[in-house]
Amino acid sequence: MSANMNNEPLIRVQDLGKSFGSIHVLKGINVNIYKGDVVFVVGPSGSGKSTFLRCLNLLEEPTQGHIFFEGTDITDPKVNIDKHRQKMGMVFQQFNLFPHMDIMKNLTLAPMKLQGKSQQEAETEAMQLLERVGLADRAHAFPSQLSGGQKQRIAIVRALCMKPDVMLFDEPTSALDPEMVGEVLSVMRDLAKEKMTMVVVTHEMGFAREVANRVMFMDEGYFMEEAAPEEFFGNPKNERLKSFLSKVL
Ligand SMILES: Nc1ncnc2c1ncn2[C@@H]1O[C@H](COP(=O)(O)OP(=O)(O)OP(=O)(O)O)[C@@H](O)[C@H]1O
Ligand SMILES: [Mg+2]
């Protein structure tokens, strides 16, 4: 039986806490993310959004609680995290492409090394994805020859080449020149339409409203409010959310 038929979440976050020394950033978060969810996380700077996202794939080690991914407690030290992390694509504000490799090499490195794909198979799949984001003609360019928006679309493709079950985005457009934001959002919008499970940290409120099925407000180490986008933006309940929205909308 598939996990979904049990309504088992793809990711189950249970009492997640994270402290850096005496700074308690995440204070006991409980949240379920289901297959096909497009969850947007918004909140003030320093509230712990990136920390939350990085805990989901254990780039940060939680100091409290559990994270179940596809039914496995990945916070269990006995678990081989690399195996599970391959199923979680992550896209950062900075693109982190290897500057000395062309785009095709950047895209095929991990599938060949970690998933044992042949070069031909990896390149065929990479080329299909490049076509989807309109960058097939740049396969043999180097990162320095691409614009920021193109580099970020490549970074998304790099994550997709691993055939992830969830994509995590941490402010993927905030380092881009304004005219390049749209092309990256357009790729993300297509992914959401194709029912990719996504967790997105962003300051793009209009985009959150348009694409999310759930929006969550992080402040003071918790998700203070969660709602469908209409409700979240149209009828916020929490005073801190109201104040946040009044500053960003
Ligand atoms: N490696 C670290 N060591 C110490 N403190 C950290 C570390 N990473 C994050 N913090 C602190 O944790 C808090 C939350 O940081 P985080 O980056 O998660 O916030 P954020 O909500 O993503 O903010 P922004 O919107 O500015 O990106 C901040 O007070 C930050 O200084
Ligand atoms: Mg952040």
Side-chain angles (χ1 to χ4, degrees):
M1 204 188 318
S2 80
N4 212 28
M5 283 167 77
N6 290 324
N7 217 20
E8 168 72 16
L10 186 69
I11 305 176
R12 183 152 61 92
V13 177
Q14 198 178 67
D15 191 32
L16 170 66
K18 176 67 184 176
S19 303
F20 295 104
S22 58
I23 315 170
H24 301 298
V25 178
L26 305 178
K27 302 175 186 164
I29 290 178
N30 293 289
V31 65
N32 288 336
I33 294 159
Y34 294 90
K35 200 161 175 287
D37 262 346
V38 179
V39 176
F40 275 62
V41 176
V42 305
S45 181
S47 61
K49 303 179 301 295
S50 295
T51 303
F52 170 72
L53 212 58
R54 293 166 61 82
C55 279
L56 288 185
N57 63 2
L58 298 201
L59 285 180
E60 292 289 357
E61 201 182 325
T63 40
Q64 173 192 317
H66 298 273
I67 295 163
F68 296 87
F69 176 58
E70 301 181 326
T72 302
D73 182 357
I74 58 172
T75 54
D76 180 340
K78 291 197 287 288
V79 159
N80 175 5
I81 183 60
D82 292 334
K83 188 177 125 218
H84 298 283
R85 202 180 270 139
Q86 285 178 31
K87 296 271 122 194
M88 303 180 171
M90 180 124 188
V91 176
F92 303 91
Q93 189 174 337
Q94 302 301 339
F95 328 111
N96 306 326
L97 298 172
F98 290 116
H100 59 292
M101 293 180 188
D102 72 7
I103 296 309
M104 188 50 86
K105 272 259 150 42
N106 266 283
L107 297 177
T108 53
L109 190 68
M112 288 169 62
K113 211 171 161 177
L114 302 177
Q115 295 182 330
K117 286 189 182 159
S118 70
Q119 181 172 347
Q120 195 192 349
E121 188 186 1
E123 288 189 355
T124 304
E125 289 178 3
M127 197 49 107
Q128 283 166 355
L129 287 163
L130 282 174
E131 274 160 20
R132 266 174 49 187
V133 304
L135 289 172
D137 59 333
R138 307 316 310 265
H140 297 293
F142 283 83
S144 62
Q145 298 169 315
L146 301 184
S147 72
Q150 289 174 331
K151 276 188 268 201
Q152 191 61 300
R153 282 186 280 157
I154 295 296
I156 294 172
V157 167
R158 178 183 50 187
L160 293 174
C161 280
M162 298 295 282
K163 301 200 187 322
D165 293 334
V166 59
M167 288 282 286
L168 311 174
F169 292 89
D170 192 357
E171 300 199 37
T173 59
S174 53
L176 300 178
D177 291 336
E179 70 268 27
M180 290 170 189
V181 168
E183 66 196 52
V184 171
L185 296 186
S186 157
V187 170
M188 294 172 68
R189 185 181 291 116
D190 288 346
L191 280 178
K193 277 194 199 132
E194 291 158 24
K195 296 285 166 219
M196 171 62 81
T197 310
M198 297 163 63
V199 184
V200 184
V201 172
T202 189
H203 293 290
E204 300 277 342
M205 298 298 152
F207 186 61
R209 191 171 191 152
E210 175 201 333
V211 172
N213 72 318
R214 303 162 64 187
V215 190
M216 311 202 293
F217 176 58
M218 178 163 281
D219 198 9
E220 299 193 331
Y222 302 96
F223 288 118
M224 282 200 169
E225 188 155 333
E226 181 197 324
E230 281 290 275
E231 181 75 8
F232 186 92
F233 293 105
N235 186 22
K237 309 269 181 311
N238 188 286
E239 289 306 320
R240 295 185 71 99
L241 174 56
K242 285 182 196 170
S243 147
F244 173 75
L245 290 177
S246 74
K247 288 182 208 128
V248 297
L249 287 181

